[in-house]
Amino acid sequence: QTGGLPFADVLKESIAQLEETQKVSQQDAYDLAMGRTDDLAAISINSAKAAVALEMTVQVASRAVTAYKEILQMQI
């Protein structure tokens, strides 16, 4: 046993973080539209975090599918 986390747990955690960063970014956008905040730096940072989290999740899923396809094509 390697002592690492199973891939499914890592993927679930990544998706949970993606959802959380998107919620924060959406709330920031709503607050800005309603005039409840003027901290543009924090809004910009949270928006960038959400974009990076989305890109990372897409890349992880894409690489997992690619690895799965390669495993299926292996000769036994």
Side-chain angles (χ1 to χ4, degrees):
Q1 187 176 21
T2 61
L5 292 174
F7 179 74
D9 291 343
V10 172
L11 189 58
K12 286 178 188 176
E13 182 178 328
S14 175
I15 291 171
Q17 287 176 347
L18 171 64
E19 290 173 350
E20 182 63 29
T21 57
Q22 285 183 337
K23 285 179 186 177
V24 169
S25 181
Q26 289 172 352
Q27 186 63 44
D28 284 347
Y30 181 77
D31 289 344
L32 181 63
M34 292 301 185
R36 295 181 189 156
T37 185
D38 59 352
D39 190 4
L40 295 178
I43 293 170
S44 179
I45 290 170
N46 289 336
S47 177
K49 284 180 183 180
V52 169
L54 177 62
E55 181 64 27
M56 183 193 71
T57 303
V58 168
Q59 288 295 325
V60 167
S62 175
R63 290 180 187 217
V65 169
T66 301
Y68 178 74
K69 286 180 181 179
E70 287 180 10
I71 290 170
L72 287 178
Q73 293 176 355
M74 285 184 181
Q75 297 292 328
I76 296 178

